[in-house]
């Protein structure tokens, strides 16, 4: 054993090609089955060979010796470095990816790298620098003591050129999702198709995984059942999208009779002049100019279209006096309310049934996704009210293991109240990164040297330089902020931090569920520390404390810098941003209404523009809100964007479109506007998303010109996306089709097709262009089905009631007592509209005269009438037919019943939330999979970390000394995790001041205990 370890220490590199490694009786290391003389191209090592133990051909050590020997051998190979005196990280084989396993963008980039115009950073004589990384990427660190010289920023800066090959490897191995290759993964096309239909279970690899061979997820052969690997929320999003596609397609099939009727000769002369995608809608092209003696221009003075619906001509009467004859445009399209209305009502019932089925379908998919992918959440709990001095992980371990049967605590993370300190350290490191980029490659990052450079720069500045520095800070300004933050850190590091949240990860799912069953109590009892609610006194922490225990969210969703915010402050900030959001939505709605009055084209441009701008504004506004988890952040964003898009895309269009333009065939009409929106959703939005113009510009133009490897990697992060925005897009399109289905039944097919395109493009983007996001849970899905889908069904009932009541949408009623038209109107007339357009009107004596009457029940008598019922028609100005009145009455009362039912449903849901304050019972999702936490190949722990836009990997907020790589959900193949450790920054800042000690609890702690039957790796 000693000989083996000594040989491993002296060895510099091992190259193996698919061979086996074994240890013979003499203790020497040999290989077989590979080509040991093969060369390693560039910086890429050979792939790691599997370790096999054949008792017939190879002699093994005794059990106690073999375990320790093979641990050292793993370290030698770089497969699983652990807590030894020294360890070596093997060089990444990412540069050796086969061309067939690369994206086409990477292949193009590797081909163009030889040209200086494409890759200037890789050509020329002037060296660029790659900070802190040796040229061969072979980092050797000591884990026995923390080396402050190995952290960022280091005063010693290397001057090696950045590698575009490594940047593209970063893009495909860190940004894009990959799966672990199984032994039989290299199957043919037939088997791949077969596995696609059967739903192959692909194991999601960690970001930067080096221990196993990985591949990119197939763009076309990855089944939707695998989407849950990227988070249950993502899996449920695609499942919901598929369900809505099917539901709207069935609704479209049900509405085929209405489409055929609208397109037929009975309604509007076959709609010959209408665009083929708008045929089958309620667009009316069959109209006639009729006498309207009492009509006034002000009744039609809404926009350029309604002004064309009234005309006049001046002619002398029998006595020679000039008489003005007024004509109005009357829609002759008649609806068969018995057939049209009943089909629409059946569609409403279908949607209600579909939403109910969707509820159970989503719950079933949630169980499938949860059981199909083991994550840290399945084994973990969070305690949100620990005693302030309960900072010792061993105390928490002893509490659970001594008071609960068959419980083993594997990982414990003690989060302390140090948000301000962590934010200061993150900002300080970001500023130092900016300073480093501005400095020449040969300059040291020593504090005294930077201060000297800053003084020289400031001394040489002129007036314009000083003015520019106010806009774009230079080294003096950035270093001044560093000095302030350094002092701030020195002050904050002197405080002892109380424990705020405790994350406990058990070895088994059954242990987690057992603890949740016995410790789950209502929040009111927790706040009052009502010990009588805990049946077993041993379950009281320290014999007196009632713990608030809940199932933990996924580790990647925890927002560690906002985790310790007080609820009162959170609610206060959310209230402020909600008020701002409502105000902005109202202002945009008024602006769109103003544009609509000027021109329909201006309104369409304004609506599209704000649909693109507001989500970015909502993200910015939400960034001011402190949220303890990413799920809470996404929910807040979801509510803002959905409220805006529903108002801006659907509701405001109805309000700003003049009532008489509802059935107009040209682009001014309401139906034409709806079609334009669907067209934009199908073509424009998806083409821009798949094209990923900004992403390609960053990867192919900006990245090859970066001066450092980290900046080059930052250009490969991928396009950011928000799951909340994707859900918003689905609900917007679904809402649009349902809201206008009475007058545009083909919108169901448009919606189904648009969402199908969205499903394909979103899946492609998730696997090829989008950056990795936290593994969100079910919050967004539950919010959608509880509130938004329910509201969509209610909106259909209400909107259909008003749409059916408005036919024929010309604001003309029969003039009382007028069985025949006045003799003065008889004849053929050439009249002029209010918009100076010439029209021809022919009137015979048998025609009848009309008068103006407002047919919009939303505005009758200047008030909104609900529910819309025929009795609300003004007396003497009734326009509905008897069958139409029956249909409107049916929909009106149905909408009222549904409104009351939805109100009761929301009230019951609120009562359940209130009840949960007193009586809380954890509901388990899925079955116990009987898989131990330590047996899961790819799993992470609750490691405090913060994302930064200046670093390609997260910054760590806890001591990483001796911490296993298995606990992280990402791996940097070039640097150890200590490089991103902010506690080392604090040690450097406080070095020699005796202010920072291990006993003042400045940072969160994490401790890992392996089960007794596993290799001992206690940290």
């Amino acid at each position: 054993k000693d000989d083996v370890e000594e040989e491993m220490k002296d060895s510099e590199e091992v190259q193996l090609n698919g061979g086996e490694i074994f240890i013979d009786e003499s203790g020497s290391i040999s290989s077989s089955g590979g080509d040991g003389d093969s060369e390693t191209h560039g910086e890429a090592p050979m792939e790691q060979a599997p370790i096999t133990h054949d008792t017939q051909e190879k002699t093994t050590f005794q059990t106690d010796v073999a375990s320790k020997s093979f641990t050292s051998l793993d370290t030698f190979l770089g497969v699983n470095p652990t807590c030894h005196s020294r360890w070596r990280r093997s060089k990444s084989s990412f540069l050796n990816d086969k061309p067939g396993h690369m994206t086409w963008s990477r292949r193009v980039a590797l081909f163009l790298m030889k040209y200086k115009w494409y890759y200037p950073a890789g050509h020329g004589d002037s060296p660029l620098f790659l900070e802190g990384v040796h040229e061969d990427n072979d980092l050797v660190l000591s884990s026995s003591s923390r080396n402050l010289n190995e952290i960022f920023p280091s005063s010693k800066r290397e001057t090696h050129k950045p590698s575009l090959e490594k940047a593209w490897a970063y893009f495909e191995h860190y940004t894009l999702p990959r799966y672990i290759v199984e032994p039989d993964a290299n199957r043919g096309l037939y088997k791949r198709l077969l596995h696609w239909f059967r739903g192959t279970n692909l194991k999601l690899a960690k970001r930067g995984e080096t221990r196993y061979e990985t591949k990119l997820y197939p763009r076309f052969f990855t089944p939707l059942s695998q989407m849950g690997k990227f988070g249950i929320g993502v899996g449920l999003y695609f499942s919901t999208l598929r369900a809505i596609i099917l539901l709207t397609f069935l609704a479209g099939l049900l509405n085929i009779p209405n489409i055929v009727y609208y397109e037929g000769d009975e309604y509007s002369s076959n709609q010959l002049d209408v665009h083929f995608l708008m045929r089958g809608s309620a667009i009316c092209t069959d109209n006639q100019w009729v006498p309207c003696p009492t009509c006034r221009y002000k009744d039609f003075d809404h926009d350029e279209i309604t002004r064309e619906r009234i005309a006049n001509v001046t002619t002398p009467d029998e006595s020679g006096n000039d008489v003005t004859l007024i004509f109005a445009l009357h829609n002759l399209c008649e609806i068969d309310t018995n057939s049209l209305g009943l089909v629409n009502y059946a569609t409403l019932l279908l949607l209600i049934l579909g939403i109910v089925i969707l509820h159970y379908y989503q719950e079933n998919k949630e169980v499938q996704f949860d059981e199909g992918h083991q994550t840290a959440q399945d084994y973990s709990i969070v305690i949100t009210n620990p005693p302030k001095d309960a900072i010792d992980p061993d105390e928490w371990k002893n509490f659970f293991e001594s008071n609960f049967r068959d419980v083993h605590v594997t990982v414990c993370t003690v989060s302390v109240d140090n948000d301000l300190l962590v934010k200061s350290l993150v900002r300080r490191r970001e500023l130092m990164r900016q300073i480093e980029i501005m400095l020449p490659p040969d300059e040291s990052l020593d504090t005294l040297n930077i201060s000297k450079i800053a003084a020289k720069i400031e001394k040489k500045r002129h007036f314009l330089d000083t003015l520019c520095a106010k806009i774009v800070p230079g080294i003096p300004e950035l270093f001044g902020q560093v000095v302030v933050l350094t002092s701030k850190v020195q002050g904050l590091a002197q405080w002892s931090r109380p424990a705020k949240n405790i994350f406990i990860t058990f070895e088994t799912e059954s242990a987690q569920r057992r603890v949740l069953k016995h410790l789950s109590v209502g929040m009111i009892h927790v706040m009052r520390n009502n010990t009588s609610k805990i049946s077993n006194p041993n379950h009281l922490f320290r014999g007196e404390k009632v713990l608030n225990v809940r199932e933990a969210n996924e580790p990647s969703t925890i927002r560690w810098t906002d985790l310790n915010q007080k609820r009162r402050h959170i609610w206060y900030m959310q209230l402020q941003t909600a008020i701002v959001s409502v105000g902005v939505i109202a202002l945009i709605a008024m602006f769109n209404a103003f544009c609509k009055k000027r021109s329909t084209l201006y309104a369409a441009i304004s609506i599209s523009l704000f649909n693109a701008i507001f989500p970015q504004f909502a993200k910015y506004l939400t960034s001011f809100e402190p949220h303890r988890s990413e799920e809470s952040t996404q929910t807040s964003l979801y509510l803002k964007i959905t409220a805006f898009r529903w108002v801006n895309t659907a509701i405001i269009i109805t309000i700003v479109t003049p009532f008489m333009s509802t059935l107009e065939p040209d682009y001014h009409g309401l139906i034409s506007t709806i079609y334009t929106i669907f067209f934009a959703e199908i073509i424009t939005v998806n083409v821009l998303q798949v094209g990923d113009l900004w992403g390609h510009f960053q990867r192919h133009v900006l990245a090859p010109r970066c001066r450092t490897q980290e900046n080059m990697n930052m250009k490969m992060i991928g396009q950011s996306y928000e799951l909340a925005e994707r859900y918003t897009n689905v609900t917007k399109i679904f809402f649009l089709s349902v809201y206008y289905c009475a007058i545009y039944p083909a919108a169901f097919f448009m919606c189904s097709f648009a969402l199908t395109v969205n499903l394909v493009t979103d899946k492609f983007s998730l696997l090829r262009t989008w950056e990795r996001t936290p593994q969100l849970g079910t919050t967004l899905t539950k919010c959608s089905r509880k509130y938004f889908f329910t509201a969509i069904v209610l909106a259909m009932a209400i909107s259909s009631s008003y749409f059916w009541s408005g036919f024929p949408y010309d604001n003309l009623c029969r003039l009382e007592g007028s069985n025949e038209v006045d003799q003065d109107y008889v004849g053929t007339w050439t009249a002029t509209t209010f918009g100076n357009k010439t029209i021809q009107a022919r009137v015979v004596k048998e025609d009848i005269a009309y008068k103006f009457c407002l047919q919009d029940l939303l505005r009758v008598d200047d008030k909104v009438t609900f529910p819309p019922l025929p009795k609300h028609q003004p007396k003497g100005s009734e326009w509905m037919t008897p069958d139409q009145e029956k249909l409107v009455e049916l929909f009106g009362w149905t909408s009222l019943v549904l409104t009351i039912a939805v109100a009761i449903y929301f009230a019951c849901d609120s009562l359940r939330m209130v009840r949960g304050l007193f009586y809380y019972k954890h509901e388990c999702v899925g079955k116990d999979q009987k898989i131990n936490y330590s047996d899961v190949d790819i799993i992470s722990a609750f490691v405090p970390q913060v994302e930064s836009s200046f670093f390609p990997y997260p910054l760590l907020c806890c001591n990483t000394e001796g911490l296993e790589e298995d606990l992280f959900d990402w791996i940097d193949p070039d640097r150890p995790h200590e490089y991103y450790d902010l506690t080392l920054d604090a040690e450097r800042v406080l070095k020699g001041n005796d202010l920072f000690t291990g006993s003042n609890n400045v940072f969160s702690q994490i401790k890992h205990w392996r089960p007794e039957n596993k290799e001992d790796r206690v940290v």
Side-chain angles (χ1 to χ4, degrees):
K1 178 181 70 67
D2 295 334
D3 293 337
V4 173
E5 291 185 339
E6 187 67 22
E7 184 172 351
M8 292 189 315
K9 290 181 180 179
D10 296 335
S11 299
E12 290 297 324
E13 188 175 287
V14 172
Q15 299 181 355
L16 298 167
N17 274 337
E20 298 178 346
I21 291 186
F22 59 90
I23 304 173
D24 60 19
E25 293 179 342
S26 62
S28 62
I29 301 176
S30 59
S31 64
S32 65
D35 184 7
D37 297 327
S38 61
E39 291 185 54
T40 302
H41 300 282
E43 295 178 288
M46 309 311 294
E47 300 209 359
Q48 298 157 358
I51 300 173
T52 63
H53 313 281
D54 190 338
T55 57
Q56 296 180 357
E57 300 180 7
K58 307 173 184 66
T59 304
T60 60
F61 295 119
Q62 296 298 328
T63 304
D64 57 337
V65 179
S67 176
K68 192 168 184 179
S69 298
F70 281 113
T71 300
S72 299
L73 183 58
D74 289 348
T75 305
F76 173 68
L77 292 172
V79 175
N80 190 15
T82 55
C83 304
H84 300 287
S85 59
R86 296 178 68 85
W87 60 269
R88 178 179 300 278
R89 182 191 296 274
S90 68
K91 293 184 291 184
S92 167
S93 60
F94 296 164
L95 304 186
N96 273 354
D97 290 337
K98 297 178 181 179
H101 297 166
M102 299 180 184
T103 61
W104 280 103
S105 289
R106 183 181 180 186
R107 299 184 210 178
V108 172
L110 295 180
F111 173 77
L112 296 176
M113 279 178 56
K114 58 186 177 182
Y115 300 106
K116 185 176 180 180
W117 60 266
Y118 179 80
Y119 183 29
H123 298 77
D125 300 328
S126 59
L128 299 176
F129 62 90
L130 177 62
E131 59 283 6
V133 181
H134 298 279
E135 188 171 4
D136 63 354
N137 289 340
D138 211 2
L139 300 184
V140 181
L141 299 180
S142 171
S143 60
S144 59
S145 62
R146 290 156 67 82
N147 189 353
L148 298 181
N149 293 325
E150 295 292 348
I151 66 168
F152 177 88
S154 175
S155 59
K156 180 181 178 182
R157 303 173 66 196
E158 303 292 341
T159 57
H160 301 299
K161 294 179 181 179
S163 170
L164 188 60
E165 291 178 282
K166 292 173 62 178
W168 275 100
Y170 170 86
F171 173 69
E172 293 192 1
H173 285 265
Y174 183 84
T175 299
L176 301 185
R178 303 177 71 88
Y179 69 94
I180 297 175
V181 178
E182 299 293 340
D184 61 339
N186 297 320
R187 55 178 69 95
L189 178 62
Y190 171 75
K191 289 187 176 180
R192 289 164 61 190
L193 284 171
L194 186 63
H195 279 256
W196 182 75
F197 282 109
R198 290 179 177 178
T200 307
N201 185 25
L202 304 177
K203 294 182 180 180
L204 179 68
K206 285 187 178 182
R207 294 182 288 184
E209 177 61 58
T210 57
R211 297 173 299 171
Y212 306 99
E213 181 187 357
T214 62
K215 286 184 181 180
L216 292 169
Y217 275 86
R219 291 165 295 178
F220 306 110
F221 294 104
T222 301
L224 293 182
S225 60
Q226 297 299 299
M227 296 297 103
K229 295 292 194 302
F230 312 112
I232 296 179
V234 174
L236 289 176
Y237 164 72
F238 281 99
S239 298
T240 302
L241 192 55
R242 181 170 56 183
I244 298 299
I245 290 171
L246 177 61
L247 180 59
T248 52
F249 182 76
L250 293 177
L253 294 178
L254 183 60
N255 278 267
I256 288 179
N258 287 12
I259 297 175
V260 172
Y261 178 84
Y262 280 135
E263 194 178 2
D265 181 68
E266 186 178 355
Y267 176 73
S268 182
S269 303
N270 297 319
Q271 297 181 334
L272 298 178
D273 297 330
V274 179
H275 190 280
F276 76 98
L277 288 178
M278 289 187 287
R279 292 179 185 175
S281 66
I283 288 179
C284 183
T285 58
D286 190 5
N287 39 49
Q288 176 185 356
W289 289 95
V290 296
C292 188
T294 60
C295 289
R296 299 293 180 265
Y297 280 128
K298 66 178 182 179
D299 298 328
F300 295 81
D301 188 16
H302 299 296
D303 65 355
E304 59 269 26
I305 296 300
T306 56
R307 295 187 191 106
E308 302 296 339
R309 298 186 67 91
I310 185 172
N312 71 84
V313 61
T314 302
T315 181
D317 60 7
E318 295 179 353
S319 49
N321 298 323
D322 289 341
V323 177
T324 299
L325 305 180
I326 301 177
F327 299 90
L329 193 61
H330 175 50
N331 292 334
L332 300 179
C333 301
E334 295 183 358
I335 59 173
D336 183 0
T337 53
N338 291 329
S339 62
L340 295 176
L342 291 180
V343 168
N344 190 237
Y345 196 80
T347 304
L348 174 62
L349 299 179
L350 173 66
L351 290 179
I352 294 175
L353 178 63
I355 297 302
V356 173
I357 296 176
L358 178 63
H359 173 83
Y360 293 101
Y361 171 73
Q362 287 179 335
E363 288 187 340
N364 182 52
K365 296 301 293 185
E366 178 184 349
V367 173
Q368 290 183 19
F369 290 136
D370 183 75
E371 293 179 349
H373 184 51
Q374 296 298 108
T375 62
Q377 185 182 25
D378 298 321
Y379 303 90
S380 303
I381 62 172
V382 59
I383 301 162
T384 60
N385 67 330
K388 294 183 178 180
D389 59 345
I391 59 173
D392 185 7
D394 290 304
E395 182 182 9
W396 290 102
K397 173 182 172 64
N398 295 333
F399 169 72
F400 286 104
E401 293 186 350
S402 60
N403 296 306
F404 293 90
R405 179 175 51 86
D406 297 331
V407 167
H408 178 272
V409 175
T410 304
V411 184
C412 175
T413 301
V414 178
S415 173
V416 298
D417 188 6
N418 63 348
D419 296 355
L420 187 57
L421 174 62
V422 170
K423 291 178 181 178
S424 301
L425 287 170
V426 171
R427 181 57 184 159
R428 182 182 179 276
R429 186 178 277 216
E430 291 175 344
L431 291 171
M432 291 299 296
R433 164 63 69 195
Q434 293 177 266
I435 293 174
E436 183 191 24
I437 295 174
M438 294 179 180
L439 289 175
D442 57 345
E443 287 290 349
S444 171
L445 292 179
D446 183 73
T447 303
L448 293 178
N449 186 54
I450 298 177
S451 61
K452 179 181 177 181
I453 295 173
K456 288 182 178 180
I457 294 175
E458 197 162 11
K459 184 178 180 180
K460 295 179 180 179
R461 279 179 176 172
H462 299 291
F463 172 74
L464 291 180
D465 297 329
T466 305
L467 184 62
C468 291
K470 299 292 184 182
I471 303 174
V472 181
I475 291 179
E477 289 73 26
L478 296 177
F479 185 68
Q481 296 181 50
V482 170
V483 173
V484 173
L485 288 171
T486 300
S487 301
K488 190 175 183 179
V489 170
Q490 291 174 343
L492 293 172
Q494 300 180 57
W495 299 354
S496 292
R497 305 291 171 175
K500 278 296 198 177
N501 293 273
I502 311 296
F503 294 91
I504 303 293
T505 301
F506 300 101
E507 182 62 19
T508 61
E509 285 188 81
S510 59
Q512 181 227 36
R513 298 184 179 194
R514 191 178 305 113
V515 170
L516 287 171
K517 177 181 178 181
H518 291 290
L519 295 186
S520 295
V521 294
M523 181 60 68
I524 297 296
H525 303 301
V526 171
M527 296 173 61
R528 295 179 177 179
N529 197 36
N530 189 353
T531 58
S532 62
K533 292 298 179 179
I534 302 296
S535 57
N536 188 344
N538 293 330
H539 294 166
L540 297 173
F541 188 71
R542 294 178 178 174
E544 60 181 11
K545 181 72 173 179
V546 177
L547 298 177
N548 183 32
V549 180
R550 299 292 185 267
E551 183 180 45
N553 293 324
E554 289 292 347
S556 60
T557 65
I558 304 299
R559 294 168 60 95
W560 296 95
T561 54
D562 294 327
L563 187 60
N564 304 311
Q565 295 287 342
K566 296 181 179 179
R567 292 188 180 274
R568 184 180 301 176
H569 177 64
I570 295 175
W571 294 339
Y572 176 72
M573 291 300 299
Q574 290 178 352
L575 177 62
Q576 286 186 318
T577 55
I579 294 174
V580 173
S581 299
V582 172
V584 171
I585 292 174
L587 289 175
I588 293 176
M590 289 189 291
F591 181 79
N592 288 337
F594 173 78
C595 292
K596 182 66 177 179
K597 289 183 178 180
R598 295 295 180 270
S599 171
T600 304
L601 179 61
Y602 292 162
I605 295 175
S606 174
I607 290 172
S608 300
L609 183 64
F610 283 116
N611 268 340
I613 293 176
F614 186 83
Q616 304 303 320
F617 170 77
K619 294 177 188 177
Y620 175 75
L621 197 62
T622 307
S623 66
F624 290 97
E625 303 175 0
H627 292 275
R628 297 179 178 179
S629 70
E630 191 63 29
E631 290 206 42
S632 176
T633 305
Q634 292 294 312
T635 303
S636 177
L637 187 63
Y638 186 22
L639 295 174
K640 295 182 181 68
I641 301 179
T642 301
F644 169 77
R645 283 183 168 172
W646 282 21
V647 172
N648 189 60
T649 305
I651 299 176
I652 193 64
I653 293 176
T654 305
I655 296 175
V656 301
T657 300
F659 180 79
M660 286 180 284
S661 298
T662 301
L663 308 184
E664 286 293 329
D666 57 15
Y667 68 92
H668 295 280
L670 178 62
I671 297 176
S672 300
T673 305
I674 301 168
Y675 162 75
T676 304
I677 295 174
F678 274 117
F679 183 82
E681 292 294 334
I682 296 173
I683 304 297
T684 309
V685 175
N686 291 288
V687 168
L688 292 176
Q689 178 179 320
V690 174
D692 190 23
L693 299 180
W694 175 243
H696 285 300
F697 180 77
Q698 284 189 306
R699 293 188 286 272
H700 290 282
V701 178
L702 299 182
R705 289 157 178 80
C706 289
R707 300 173 57 198
T708 68
Q709 187 66 49
E710 286 199 342
N711 284 347
M712 192 175 286
N713 289 350
M714 290 301 297
K715 304 304 179 185
M716 302 287 180
I717 289 296
Q719 180 184 354
S720 64
Y721 82 100
E722 306 289 346
L723 187 60
E725 189 176 358
R726 306 315 304 160
Y727 264 109
T728 300
N729 197 50
V730 174
T731 56
K732 178 192 69 175
I733 299 174
F734 187 30
F735 179 79
L736 197 65
S737 64
V738 167
Y739 191 82
Y740 293 108
C741 66
I743 59 175
Y744 193 12
F748 283 120
F749 286 122
M750 298 282 286
C751 174
S752 182
F753 184 71
L755 294 182
T756 301
V757 176
N758 279 0
L759 186 147
V760 175
T761 55
D762 285 355
K763 180 183 174 183
F764 174 84
S765 299
L766 180 70
L767 302 179
R768 288 297 182 269
T769 61
W770 284 345
E771 68 171 326
R772 291 262 200 125
T773 58
Q775 293 200 335
L776 299 175
T778 62
T779 304
L780 290 178
T781 306
K782 291 179 179 179
C783 183
S784 296
R785 73 180 181 223
K786 276 187 177 181
Y787 306 111
F788 291 114
F789 290 157
T790 305
I792 286 175
V793 173
L794 178 61
M796 176 188 172
I798 296 176
S799 64
S800 296
S801 303
Y802 286 104
F803 279 126
W804 290 123
S805 69
F807 276 93
Y809 289 96
D810 55 10
N811 280 349
L812 295 177
C813 298
R814 184 170 180 172
L815 190 64
E816 300 96 332
S818 174
N819 295 324
E820 294 182 354
V821 71
D822 192 290
Q823 185 64 34
D824 294 338
Y825 279 91
V826 176
T828 301
W829 306 97
T830 301
T832 304
T833 65
F834 192 25
N836 294 323
K837 180 180 178 181
T838 301
I839 59 98
Q840 294 290 328
R842 184 176 181 276
V843 181
V844 297
K845 190 172 181 60
E846 289 76 16
D847 289 341
I848 59 175
Y850 289 83
K851 67 175 181 178
F852 177 83
C853 64
L854 187 62
Q855 297 171 347
D856 187 2
L857 288 183
L858 278 172
R859 300 179 178 88
V860 171
D861 298 330
D862 295 328
K863 63 181 181 180
V864 177
T865 56
F866 182 80
L869 297 173
K871 66 179 182 180
H872 295 304
Q873 298 178 94
K875 291 185 178 180
S877 296
E878 295 86 356
W879 68 88
M880 297 186 195
T881 64
D883 290 339
Q884 185 179 0
E885 289 183 348
K886 293 179 182 178
L887 178 62
V888 172
E889 192 164 7
L890 173 63
F891 270 93
W893 288 116
T894 301
S895 62
L896 178 61
V897 171
L898 286 178
T899 301
I900 296 174
V902 170
I904 294 175
Y905 173 74
F906 289 165
C908 291
D909 188 66
S910 300
L911 290 176
R912 282 193 295 267
M913 295 175 60
V914 175
R915 184 178 181 274
L917 296 175
F918 298 91
Y919 307 98
Y920 174 77
K921 181 181 179 181
H922 175 72
E923 297 181 1
C924 299
V925 177
K927 299 179 181 179
D928 183 356
Q929 299 301 298
K930 309 296 183 182
I931 301 175
N932 291 350
Y933 174 85
S934 300
D935 292 335
V936 181
D937 291 331
I938 305 299
I939 201 166
S940 59
F942 292 87
V943 181
Q945 53 190 312
V946 181
E947 296 284 347
S948 172
S949 59
F950 290 88
F951 293 90
Y953 298 93
L955 301 177
L956 302 171
C957 315
C958 65
N959 186 351
T960 60
E961 181 180 4
L963 211 56
E964 295 184 41
E965 284 188 350
D966 292 345
L967 300 182
F968 296 90
D969 61 353
W970 56 271
I971 300 172
D972 183 352
D974 292 332
R975 293 191 177 92
H977 290 97
E978 282 85 349
Y979 178 80
Y980 304 96
D981 190 344
L982 292 176
T983 66
L984 293 174
D985 291 31
E987 288 189 34
R988 170 172 285 184
V989 168
L990 302 170
K991 188 176 181 180
N993 293 337
D994 296 329
L995 298 176
F996 182 82
T997 62
S999 59
N1000 57 357
N1001 315 321
V1002 174
F1003 291 99
S1004 301
Q1005 302 180 51
I1006 178 171
K1007 198 164 186 179
H1008 182 203
W1009 301 270
R1010 295 288 254 179
E1012 293 180 358
N1013 60 336
K1014 302 292 181 181
E1015 185 181 354
D1016 186 18
R1017 299 182 189 176
V1018 178
V1019 297

